[in-house]
Amino acid sequence: MGMSVIISAAGTQDAEQILKLQYLCFQSEAELYGNYRIDPLVQTLDSVRAESATNLVFVARLGEEVVGSVRGSADQDGTGEIRRLCVHPRLQGHGLGARLLRAAESGLADQRSAVRFRLHTGHLSESNLRLYRRAGYAPVGNTTGQDGVRMILLEKEASAAAYVTSA
């Protein structure tokens, strides 16, 4: 019998596994953009620990192994910012990214009073864009990251989450 993937809040002890997973997962993005200095690949362990202390961080575990993660924060206007969603390459394509996204949305709505959600992904990242569109996100603009990658900004209202989840 196989193990189930469990999604839960991350603890400070998870920071190192989260960083290693992030480094593994974002290699394909770096290759896509021909840029191995993208933000997720140059983040430090101390920075991940600092984010974990102030943001909502969820992990997907398969046994003791962290196989997915996502982070979120909310501003005073009620916008929940979702960042660094990643799933181990061997588990991609099985709905785990969507589960992590829903966990971040629920956590931000319940614990941080988010009324809308915002995220961004690289303009060439078609699989990410498909996931976000299926989850109800719509493009609202573009920006260029500090790493030089053109990003598409996507948003949805928090109330839309209930409709997407029940569909």
Side-chain angles (χ1 to χ4, degrees), residues 9-157:
T12 54
Q13 75 281 2
D14 295 318
E16 190 171 341
Q17 279 195 72
I18 290 169
L19 181 62
K20 286 178 181 177
L21 176 68
Q22 175 179 304
Y23 190 81
L24 173 67
C25 292
F26 281 90
Q27 292 294 317
S28 59
E29 292 291 300
E31 184 177 344
L32 184 61
Y33 294 99
N35 179 353
Y36 286 86
R37 302 286 302 156
I38 60 174
D39 293 339
L41 296 185
V42 298
Q43 187 172 20
T44 65
L45 181 55
D46 286 341
S47 173
V48 172
R49 284 185 177 129
E51 284 184 1
S52 297
T54 58
N55 296 309
L56 294 179
V57 181
F58 294 94
V59 292
R61 292 181 203 282
L62 185 59
E64 296 297 313
E65 181 186 8
V66 172
V67 294
S69 71
V70 65
R71 295 170 225 172
S73 60
D75 64 20
Q76 63 273 24
D77 295 328
T79 300
E81 183 80 26
I82 297 172
R83 294 180 307 285
R84 303 275 204 263
L85 174 62
C86 60
V87 173
H88 195 288
R90 77 175 189 267
L91 296 174
Q92 291 176 3
H94 299 286
L96 189 51
R99 287 178 58 199
L100 282 162
L101 183 58
R102 284 192 303 271
E105 291 170 351
S106 294
L108 288 167
D110 296 345
Q111 299 173 40
R112 305 286 169 98
S113 302
V115 296
R116 82 190 60 75
F117 306 113
R118 177 180 301 144
L119 50 77
H120 62 271
T121 193
H123 71 288
L124 299 176
S125 303
E126 282 303 318
S127 62
N128 296 348
L129 288 165
R130 266 193 310 278
L131 167 67
Y132 300 140
R133 277 191 225 105
R134 279 195 313 262
Y137 286 82
V140 295
N142 298 303
T143 188
T144 301
Q146 292 178 341
D147 53 19
V149 174
R150 195 175 102 214
M151 308 298 281
I152 297 177
L153 299 172
L154 300 112
E155 285 187 358
K156 79 172 184 181
E157 295 300 311

